[in-house]
Amino acid sequence: MPVKFTKMHGAGNDFVMIDTISQRIKLRPRDIRKIADRRRGIGCDQVLLVEPPGQANADFRYRIFNADGSEAGQCGNGARCFARFVRHRRLTHLQTMVVEAGNSLMTLTMRDNHEVEVDMGPPRFAPKDIPLHREHEALEYDLVAAGEQLRIGALSMGNPHAILRVDAIDDGSLERLGEAIRSHEDFPEGNNAGFLEIVDRRNVRLRVFERGVGETEACGSGACAAVVYGQRMGWLDDRVTVELTGGKLDIYWQGDNNSVLMTGPTAISFEGTIRL
Ligand SMILES: N[C@H](CCC[C@H](N)C(=O)O)C(=O)O
């Protein structure tokens, strides 16, 4: 079955975008893994599907699959590429669109130079919403991983995040602790493990060992989660530039139940057809 796709990335976090509105296809987890395979397929961190909306107040539905075939409830870099993709493929002319992802609604707004602003919705902190096996919500949690006693932030942006503050993002913490945190038994659905270096109150560096992939060059929801954690700990202001391996994202959060706003780049790499 030939499937048309567009290869894109947002700050180096790369995606295969597939329009399943004009192509009536059903993809199984093994199809996702083949597409994502960097030797036997196209190669990407996530496969993103464009579907018709399930709700009256949405323009599209957006499904996210990690390279290992697992489905995720949120992908910030992917949301930006999604907005550019549906306009590139003439599925819409909207400058601002509402998109369902998992059980949340996001508003995507086109900005200059192919940048996109994403209203990621509010962060969720209750352990049951992360999910995290803890009795009570807290700013930080004790966690033993790889034999080390850690203090981490944990929250959901529609997908689970664990954040560890480090002195320097290249101090070896991600290599030593990434897998142990990401797959920790206290997170029943796993998590995206962020390693956060505070440069000053408006600038941070971040690396993320993602659920279902491993380290990516950027993680949009991870950047949002790291800034939210840093703000709640009193380390950061409301607008922060997050420097990731693949580029920079602008994150803005005014606290409480306000939405986290993320603005960043999108890029189209190539288009093609793959036979599954
Ligand atoms: N690995 C993530 C999904 C992709 C998130 C990331 N690529 C982003 O930009 O937010 C998860 O399983 O929750």
Side-chain angles (χ1 to χ4, degrees):
M1 168 184 61
V3 177
K4 287 198 187 81
F5 68 87
T6 299
K7 183 77 190 327
M8 297 184 74
H9 73 86
N13 183 195
D14 66 335
F15 310 108
V16 169
M17 316 292 297
I18 299 175
D19 158 16
T20 69
I21 295 176
S22 34
Q23 299 182 99
R24 293 230 170 274
I25 52 173
K26 283 270 175 253
L27 296 174
R28 299 153 301 185
R30 68 170 182 221
D31 298 322
I32 299 291
R33 287 191 291 272
K34 176 180 175 184
I35 291 167
D37 188 312
R38 294 192 185 281
R39 288 184 177 78
R40 293 171 178 78
I42 303 163
C44 63
D45 293 329
Q46 279 90 25
V47 177
L48 306 182
L49 305 187
V50 178
E51 297 188 342
Q55 302 180 32
N57 55 346
D59 302 298
F60 295 100
R61 179 161 180 73
Y62 156 49
R63 291 182 73 186
I64 303 134
F65 294 89
N66 289 310
D68 69 355
S70 61
E71 185 163 7
Q74 180 55 281
C75 179
N77 289 320
R80 299 197 313 274
C81 290
F82 183 100
R84 181 165 178 198
F85 174 68
V86 292
R87 289 166 49 88
H88 171 73
R89 296 298 292 261
R90 308 251 187 286
L91 294 171
T92 182
H93 298 292
L94 290 172
Q95 284 281 348
T96 295
M97 61 192 85
V98 176
V99 173
E100 286 173 68
N103 53 16
S104 46
L105 282 179
M106 294 189 292
T107 303
L108 314 179
T109 303
M110 309 309 292
R111 295 288 184 226
D112 296 339
N113 308 319
H114 298 307
E115 294 217 331
V116 179
E117 178 190 282
V118 182
D119 175 330
M120 297 281 287
R124 279 158 263 173
F125 303 108
K128 67 175 176 43
D129 293 335
I130 296 174
L132 172 64
H133 289 319
R134 287 291 185 284
E135 275 297 298
H136 304 293
E137 178 183 325
L139 289 179
E140 282 193 321
Y141 299 95
D142 287 318
L143 192 82
V144 177
E148 295 185 28
Q149 182 70 46
L150 308 173
R151 290 284 285 170
I152 60 157
L155 58 100
S156 173
M157 288 303 306
N159 59 343
H161 291 273
I163 309 105
L164 177 70
R165 181 175 180 178
V166 294
D167 294 335
I169 50 167
D170 56 2
D171 69 2
S173 298
L174 181 142
E175 291 76 6
R176 197 174 67 254
L177 299 166
E179 180 56 44
I181 295 173
R182 177 183 72 164
S183 55
H184 197 282
E185 61 186 5
D186 290 0
F187 289 84
E189 296 176 11
N191 64 69
N192 299 281
F195 294 81
L196 171 64
E197 175 186 337
I198 307 281
V199 175
D200 59 39
R201 294 189 61 83
R202 296 180 62 87
N203 295 279
V204 302
R205 294 191 185 98
L206 180 71
R207 290 171 69 192
V208 183
F209 195 80
E210 282 198 32
R211 181 176 63 167
V213 188
E215 183 177 9
T216 57
E217 288 199 10
C219 180
S221 56
C224 296
V227 169
V228 167
Y229 167 54
Q231 277 195 33
R232 282 168 37 109
M233 294 301 291
W235 304 326
L236 298 175
D237 291 341
D238 56 7
R239 183 180 295 282
V240 177
T241 298
V242 179
E243 181 184 344
L244 301 118
T245 307
K248 293 184 178 181
L249 299 178
D250 178 68
I251 309 296
Y252 181 60
W253 185 53
Q254 289 184 298
D256 303 325
N257 204 34
N258 289 295
S259 280
V260 183
L261 302 182
M262 168 189 59
T263 304
T266 66
I268 296 175
S269 304
F270 56 87
E271 303 197 282
T273 302
I274 183 170
R275 288 193 177 286
L276 295 174

